[in-house]
Amino acid sequence: MPLPLASAYLRGATAQGLVTFDNKGRVAPGLANRWIVTDDGLSYIFRLNKTRWNDGREVTSNEVADLLTTRIQELRKGRFNSELAVIDRVVPMTGKVIEIRLKAPMPYLLEMMAQPEFGLARRGFGSGPMQAKRLGDAMQLRLRNIDEKGDNILEPETVTVRGSSASLALARYMEGQSDLVEGGRFEDFPLLDAAQINANEIQFDPVPGLFGLLFVEGGPFLSSRDNRDAIAMAIDRPKLLTAFDIVAWRETLTLVPESLPNRLPAPRPDWSSQQIESRKTRAKTIIGQWEGSNGEVRPLRIALPRGYGGRIFFARLRADMASIGLEVERVTIDRPHDLRLIDRTADQSSPAWYLDQLSCTVSSICNKDADRLVFEARMAATIEQRAQLLAQAEAELQEMRNFIPIANPLRWSVARPGLLGHVANGRGWHLLQYLGRDTT
């Protein structure tokens, strides 16, 4: 966990959960065709569709409740652990109704349950909406319908999914061997220019999430909050992003997006309104004072992904750090490092997701008080109390400077002109069952 991208697309197409996403990234029916939430927010009740597993057996509420309970226990070992602690139990009510009972209100439960990791399978068989078979080194999928007798019917049109490197995927696209390339990130973006992909074939998804540098090792120098703040203020975000020539890529200065619904205001860094040269002068003074008392700072090790985009990113970062008297070196994620690039799209529209990524479980440079506030927010009795506690936690982490926000995550795809069913959305997630179909 999390699932690799190709595996996530395959599971999302063949093993749906109670809910899923539509082609615009909105929560939509999956195994359940409708649901209600009780007034206290402590119970979600789902009515299941009349559907069958891919082996032909009918889906029942007892099976779904058992499978979902098992899946929740599995996922508690991974990245969903904090959120799943709020779920009390899953209860089958009748042949077609199940209930998820909570220990506290969980306003973003449906967004989480729509993730492909929550897709359910019985003895290896999902419930569609597609059915897959291996085709060499690829997987071939076809939409599945049920006839009047309850038998499976596979439609003739196919979608073939193949995982590969970005360079190989683009080469196949240029040779006409594929119609769509998914999962593009910043480190591979320069390949589009090298491949001479037409601009009208490139699609950007306006995804929220975290893109920036996480401090993971302290040491004498980085244990100082002022030194970490100096590094953060010295990064020229507009110049760094301009090096990629992507209009859709915007700088960020806060841990949680300021436009996020239900986010209470949290202060920006005190230097955010200053010009970059003033910030660099201030940062250089802070570094100089520390070195005057403690000696020269060794080169800082920054873990970045491979790819030409990573080289461009590092070149700009190195120039910014040199301007304040610091040396940096680029390393891979498997080598010892002091800072690590975090590039993740958000699973949920909740401030809690962002704060989880910066907790004491991922870095020794952290704030236990902020972690406690996030936990208390999850167990809060009201949405208002939850929002207040999360705002306090964000302010604590923002003041600590254990993470340097730089921009929103960059996600791109390349689609053949005329390909139906592929729509830019705020999740960067394009379900395979919509491809080639007019979803209007």
Side-chain angles (χ1 to χ4, degrees):
M1 303 300 170
L3 290 172
L5 185 66
S7 297
Y9 270 106
L10 181 62
R11 189 179 186 97
T14 60
Q16 61 189 337
L18 290 173
V19 292
T20 183
F21 293 120
D22 66 13
N23 68 317
K24 295 182 180 179
R26 300 170 299 195
V27 173
L31 284 172
N33 57 16
R34 59 184 184 271
W35 51 88
I36 62 171
V37 186
T38 55
D39 291 341
D40 59 8
L42 297 178
S43 175
Y44 283 69
I45 300 172
F46 299 84
R47 178 168 291 277
L48 303 180
N49 283 309
K50 185 176 182 180
T51 188
R52 295 177 181 269
W53 302 109
N54 285 342
D55 64 353
R57 289 178 57 89
E58 187 171 347
V59 173
T60 67
S61 60
N62 283 327
E63 282 181 324
V64 171
D66 289 344
L67 290 169
L68 184 55
T69 298
T70 300
R71 194 67 180 144
I72 287 171
Q73 291 171 349
E74 294 170 347
L75 293 171
R76 276 181 173 160
K77 302 172 185 176
R79 65 191 178 110
F80 294 103
N81 176 54
S82 298
E83 291 287 358
L84 291 175
V86 183
I87 295 179
D88 185 12
R89 59 189 182 276
V90 182
V91 182
M93 299 179 70
T94 68
K96 289 298 177 183
V97 177
I98 72 167
E99 178 186 15
I100 297 179
R101 297 178 184 172
L102 307 174
K103 301 173 185 176
M106 195 174 179
Y108 305 101
L109 175 68
L110 294 176
E111 282 185 291
M112 182 177 67
M113 300 298 291
Q115 300 295 325
E117 285 85 351
F118 288 87
L120 301 179
R122 177 190 173 277
R123 298 179 182 176
F125 292 96
S127 61
M130 305 186 86
Q131 195 161 316
K133 69 175 182 179
R134 185 170 293 281
L135 187 69
D137 64 347
M139 297 297 289
Q140 188 180 79
L141 297 96
R142 299 165 72 182
L143 274 170
R144 179 179 68 93
N145 289 312
I146 300 175
D147 65 13
E148 295 177 355
K149 299 179 181 179
D151 296 328
N152 288 337
I153 299 177
L154 297 180
E155 297 193 10
E157 296 84 2
T158 63
V159 176
T160 303
V161 182
R162 179 181 287 108
S164 68
S165 66
S167 56
L168 181 55
L170 289 173
R172 285 180 174 142
Y173 180 86
M174 293 301 293
E175 291 297 318
Q177 298 175 11
S178 64
D179 299 301
L180 176 65
V181 177
E182 285 285 1
R185 303 165 76 100
F186 91 98
E187 60 263 33
D188 299 314
F189 183 77
L191 293 175
L192 296 174
D193 187 49
Q196 298 182 329
I197 303 290
N198 292 328
N200 66 335
E201 298 175 54
I202 303 171
Q203 179 176 289
F204 294 100
D205 288 305
V207 292
L210 289 174
F211 184 91
L213 296 170
L214 176 70
F215 293 96
V216 294
E217 289 293 337
F221 178 71
L222 292 181
S223 293
S224 165
R225 181 267 184 199
D226 289 341
N227 292 339
R228 299 195 300 272
D229 194 34
I231 294 171
M233 73 175 73
I235 297 175
D236 190 341
R237 291 161 180 78
K239 194 169 185 178
L240 188 157
L241 301 181
T242 300
F244 288 84
D245 193 23
I246 305 171
V247 176
W249 216 6
R250 304 293 177 84
E251 70 169 303
T252 59
L253 293 167
T254 57
L255 304 181
V256 180
E258 293 176 299
S259 59
L260 197 69
N262 301 320
R263 173 191 181 267
L264 296 181
R268 286 184 168 191
D270 59 3
W271 42 260
S272 61
S273 60
Q274 298 176 4
Q275 296 296 319
I276 186 62
E277 292 308 320
S278 299
R279 285 161 36 186
K280 286 186 174 182
T281 299
R282 179 178 166 186
K284 187 173 184 178
T285 300
I286 293 171
I287 303 301
Q289 290 174 345
W290 192 92
E291 288 186 325
S293 302
N294 301 277
E296 187 176 356
V297 180
R298 66 165 174 78
L300 302 177
R301 302 160 298 181
I302 304 178
L304 296 172
R306 293 182 173 91
Y308 191 64
R311 291 171 57 186
I312 296 174
F313 182 92
F314 179 71
R316 287 299 330 147
L317 196 61
R318 181 171 55 187
D320 287 336
M321 295 301 101
S323 70
I324 63 171
L326 292 177
E327 293 184 30
V328 293
E329 59 184 41
R330 181 185 178 191
V331 298
T332 53
I333 192 68
D334 57 332
R335 300 291 300 276
H337 52 276
D338 306 297
L339 296 93
R340 177 193 312 149
L341 182 70
I342 300 295
D343 181 6
R344 298 175 191 156
T345 56
D347 292 332
Q348 301 173 50
S349 305
S350 168
W353 180 89
Y354 295 82
L355 305 180
D356 275 343
Q357 316 308 306
L358 311 175
S359 72
C360 292
T361 62
V362 298
S363 175
S364 59
I365 302 177
C366 61
N367 189 310
K368 292 183 179 180
D369 287 338
D371 286 0
R372 174 184 53 79
L373 288 166
V374 173
F375 174 79
E376 291 177 359
R378 284 206 169 89
M379 297 300 173
T382 67
I383 301 300
E384 294 76 15
Q385 185 182 5
R386 175 188 173 101
Q388 291 172 356
L389 289 167
L390 290 175
Q392 293 176 36
E394 181 184 354
E396 291 266 3
L397 275 176
Q398 183 87 295
E399 176 61 23
M400 186 180 185
R401 304 289 194 270
N402 74 331
F403 178 75
I404 304 174
I406 294 177
N408 60 294
L410 179 71
R411 296 294 183 268
W412 54 265
S413 52
V414 178
R416 189 76 60 196
L419 177 65
L420 297 175
H422 193 270
V423 181
N425 64 71
R427 297 188 189 276
W429 186 246
H430 308 100
L431 289 165
L432 302 178
Q433 61 263 36
Y434 295 110
L435 294 182
R437 296 176 176 272
D438 186 352
T439 55
T440 60

